[in-house]
């Protein structure tokens, strides 16, 4: 498997050369419908200097999600621009943390009771979302323990949208 660096560069090349032009909410972009991206979690961090990622924000966002937080004060110190996606200036409608934290017991229990389970999933999507600046891009995450030996925890993320430049590297 390739590192995220190679996977990401290949994806950007595919977007430029074969991506379909679309205009969601009037904004021109390119998309690759039903694209699958495989990330080797032994090398999951993009390290291409020209992308200028904030690794402090990356770590802070992971902590923010896994703590179940959905407040602006919990993440804005590491990225002030993210506040623009809050509808009320205090919380994020589409924050992953509350949904992930609220369903993680089910995921762990499913895999503990049956390592071959196909039910270790959680949903992040909000049913019938109202108009919001923060509709979640991730729909669901499903976890599997699979081989080849040694067995590995695998995660399949189902996305309604994934911004290859902004979101995917994080």
């Amino acid at each position: 498997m390739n590192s995220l660096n190679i996977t990401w560069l290949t994806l950007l090349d595919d977007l430029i050369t074969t991506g379909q032009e679309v205009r969601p909410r009037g904004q021109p972009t390119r998309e690759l419908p039903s694209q699958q991206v495989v990330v080797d979690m032994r090398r999951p961090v993009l390290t291409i200097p020209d992308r200028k990622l904030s690794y402090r924000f990356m770590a802070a966002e992971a902590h923010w999600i896994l703590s179940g937080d959905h407040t602006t004060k919990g993440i804005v110190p590491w990225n002030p621009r993210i506040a623009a996606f809050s509808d009320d200036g205090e919380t994020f409608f589409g924050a992953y943390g509350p949904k992930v934290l609220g369903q993680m017991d089910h995921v762990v229990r499913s895999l503990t009771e049956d390592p071959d389970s196909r039910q270790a999933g959680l949903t992040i999507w909000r049913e019938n979302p109202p108009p919001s600046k923060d509709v979640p891009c991730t729909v669901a995450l499903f976890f599997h323990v699979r081989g080849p030996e040694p067995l590995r925890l695998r995660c399949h993320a189902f996305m309604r949208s994934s911004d290859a430049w902004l979101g995917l590297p994080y």
Side-chain angles (χ1 to χ4, degrees):
M1 267 192 218
N2 293 328
S3 70
L4 182 56
N5 288 349
I6 294 169
T7 300
W8 185 69
L9 289 171
T10 301
L11 179 64
L12 292 181
D13 183 64
D14 289 349
L15 273 168
I16 292 166
T17 58
T18 64
Q20 298 175 4
E21 293 183 22
V22 294
R23 297 180 64 83
R25 296 182 315 279
Q27 300 175 12
T29 189
R30 292 179 170 274
E31 70 179 15
L32 297 167
S34 303
Q35 180 72 24
Q36 179 180 0
V37 177
V38 178
V39 177
D40 181 348
M41 293 308 290
R42 292 171 293 186
R43 295 184 285 296
V45 177
L46 192 70
T47 59
I48 296 172
D50 289 344
R51 178 52 187 84
K52 296 183 173 107
L53 290 173
S54 169
Y55 298 106
R56 290 183 62 197
F57 171 68
M58 186 182 292
E61 185 182 36
H63 177 267
W64 182 70
I65 291 169
L66 294 173
S67 72
D69 197 353
H70 73 291
T71 65
T72 55
K73 72 179 181 177
I75 194 64
V76 166
W78 290 271
N79 182 350
R81 292 180 297 202
I82 202 168
F85 294 97
S86 171
D87 296 319
D88 63 8
E90 295 181 18
T91 61
F92 292 96
F93 168 75
Y96 295 4
K99 296 284 264 184
V100 169
L101 203 61
Q103 299 172 79
M104 194 52 70
D105 285 348
H106 166 74
V107 170
V108 172
R109 186 176 56 255
S110 295
L111 293 175
T112 301
E113 292 174 1
D114 179 6
D116 290 330
S117 178
R118 295 181 296 194
Q119 297 180 6
L122 57 89
T123 57
I124 296 172
W125 181 251
R126 307 305 194 271
E127 298 79 11
N128 300 310
S132 174
K133 298 180 207 174
D134 186 36
V135 175
C137 292
T138 304
V139 174
L141 301 172
F142 275 84
F143 298 87
H144 304 90
V145 177
R146 299 292 188 265
E149 295 293 334
L151 296 178
R152 297 182 192 274
L153 178 64
R154 299 173 186 269
C155 176
H156 295 225
F158 297 86
M159 309 290 291
R160 70 160 180 86
S161 179
S162 181
D163 184 320
W165 181 261
L166 184 61
L168 181 66
Y170 287 99

